Amino acid sequence: MKLKLALFTVLLTISSLLAGCEPLLVLDPKGPQAERLASDIMLSILVMSGIVIVVFALLVYMLVKYRASNSSDDYEPPHIEGNIWVEAVMIGIPIIIVAFLSVVSVQSNYIVESAPEGYEDKEPLIVYASSSNWKWHFSYPEEGVETVNYLYVPTDRALEIKLYSHGPITSFWVPQLGGQKYAMNDHVTTLHLAADVPGEYMGRNANFSGEGFAENIFEVTAMSQTEFDEWVDEVKETADPLTEETFEELLEPGHLGRMTFTGTHLDFTSPPEHHHGDAEHDEMDMESHEDHENHEDHENHEEEASEEDHSHH
């Protein structure tokens, strides 16, 4: 009776939890980056499920075959000092599993950190996504438009999301389009995404950044390129311009609804100079570093030459 009651309680609890669960957005990808991550998650689940099934099958086999009632009363197990095959299996199989998952993870990391393939015929849409307590500011420098707490993007076109923060570290995450990436106030990080399917997708700050963190969310709407261009034209005709005074008010801690402006805050508030994950900016930083080193070498050479001339005199 007690066993039946316990099983009934467990089933009732599981049913209650599952009834309130929403679909797993990470397993419902709408873009190539998210699709790669979803396939890696499913692969990991399958590998771990296989391990669990094999372990439990061996456990049941051992319990049945070597149970006490299945042997004679005077049975004494033989004295064994190690078994090379058992030890090879116990050590080798975990090494193979970890190595396999590591290779897959590294390959996926390079794929999702790079520009998505198949969109080379169009220039990527560049959007600066900056966070403040507790809102998101999306700046379209090429279109001359800025939004608050919502993002419009065209489908079938690569996206370059430039991330930084006006306050604490946050994390930009749209589960159905790709993985999360941190936004910091000392440099810009680049997140490559793409949306293949029109629709509305939930985005949020995935990093705790204060008491208003729970409502630090935004909406991403993917549409055709034609609809996106029409939206940009409509904003330029109807929205108010974004001034420096207005932007300073927007940065004050608090929650806001959706807002739209013409112009961007990039016109008067520049993002951090250092860019991470952007090949063009990384190359510029490297060239600047090399020029600085060459300049230092030249100065050192001049100083050495001056000292030699002085010693000759």
Side-chain angles (χ1 to χ4, degrees):
M1 183 64 182
K2 291 182 179 181
L3 179 60
K4 292 182 178 180
L5 180 61
L7 291 175
F8 176 76
T9 303
V10 171
L11 291 175
L12 181 62
T13 302
I14 294 175
S15 301
S16 301
L17 292 174
L18 292 178
C21 288
E22 296 181 357
L24 290 176
L25 298 181
V26 293
L27 297 181
D28 184 24
K30 302 299 181 182
Q33 313 296 66
E35 187 173 351
R36 177 69 187 198
L37 295 175
S39 64
D40 289 349
I41 292 173
M42 290 304 302
L43 176 63
S44 299
I45 291 175
L46 292 175
V47 171
M48 290 183 287
S49 299
I51 295 172
V52 171
I53 292 173
V54 170
V55 169
F56 275 92
L58 290 174
L59 176 62
V60 172
Y61 173 78
M62 296 297 179
L63 291 176
V64 173
K65 181 174 178 61
Y66 298 103
R67 66 187 187 276
S69 60
N70 202 30
S71 59
S72 59
D73 296 337
D74 58 348
Y75 172 77
E76 289 187 9
H79 178 72
I80 300 176
E81 295 182 357
N83 186 303
I84 188 172
W85 295 110
V86 173
E87 293 174 0
V89 170
M90 292 177 61
I91 297 176
I93 291 180
I95 291 177
I96 293 174
I97 293 173
V98 171
F100 170 71
L101 293 178
S102 298
V103 171
V104 172
S105 299
V106 171
Q107 290 178 340
S108 296
N109 185 65
Y110 277 103
I111 291 174
V112 299
E113 286 291 330
S114 304
E117 297 181 356
Y119 304 89
E120 293 79 9
D121 57 330
K122 297 180 181 179
E123 288 292 324
L125 174 66
I126 298 176
V127 180
Y128 281 80
S130 56
S131 62
S132 63
N133 285 341
W134 291 274
K135 57 196 78 72
W136 286 92
H137 312 264
F138 298 102
S139 307
Y140 300 77
E142 297 178 0
E143 288 73 18
V145 170
E146 181 156 330
T147 62
V148 178
N149 290 334
Y150 79 97
L151 176 65
Y152 279 11
V153 298
T155 56
D156 300 321
R157 182 179 176 185
L159 308 173
E160 285 188 15
I161 311 296
K162 309 289 187 178
L163 301 169
Y164 66 99
S165 173
H166 297 282
I169 295 176
T170 57
S171 175
F172 182 93
W173 187 32
V174 185
Q176 291 179 278
L177 296 184
Q180 66 87 26
K181 200 161 194 176
Y182 290 109
M184 292 165 274
N185 60 11
D186 60 345
H187 65 273
V188 175
T189 55
T190 301
L191 178 64
H192 296 280
L193 299 176
D196 292 336
V197 182
E200 295 183 355
Y201 310 117
M202 184 274 292
R204 66 168 299 111
N205 168 23
N207 186 61
F208 180 78
S209 59
E211 60 182 356
F213 150 79
E215 298 179 33
N216 194 187
I217 59 178
F218 58 92
E219 290 183 355
V220 179
T221 302
M223 60 191 71
S224 67
Q225 183 66 51
T226 301
E227 292 175 315
F228 178 77
D229 294 336
E230 292 175 352
W231 170 75
V232 172
D233 294 337
E234 181 182 355
V235 169
K236 290 182 177 180
E237 294 176 359
T238 59
D240 295 328
L242 179 62
T243 63
E244 189 170 359
E245 292 77 15
T246 302
F247 185 68
E248 291 296 330
E249 294 177 359
L250 294 176
L251 293 182
E252 293 294 326
H255 294 100
L256 295 174
R258 295 163 55 128
M259 304 181 71
T260 312
F261 301 94
T262 58
T264 73
H265 74 267
L266 301 176
D267 297 331
F268 46 80
T269 303
S270 300
E273 295 182 359
H274 179 64
H275 289 243
H276 176 72
D278 188 334
E280 179 180 353
H281 284 91
D282 288 345
E283 184 177 349
M284 293 174 61
D285 291 341
M286 182 64 70
E287 291 177 353
S288 176
H289 179 68
E290 290 177 352
D291 291 341
H292 179 69
E293 288 184 342
N294 292 335
H295 180 68
E296 287 184 345
D297 292 341
H298 181 68
E299 288 183 345
N300 293 334
H301 179 71
E302 288 183 345
E303 290 179 358
E304 291 176 357
S306 177
E307 290 178 356
E308 290 179 359
D309 292 341
H310 181 71
S311 63
H312 288 313
H313 287 301

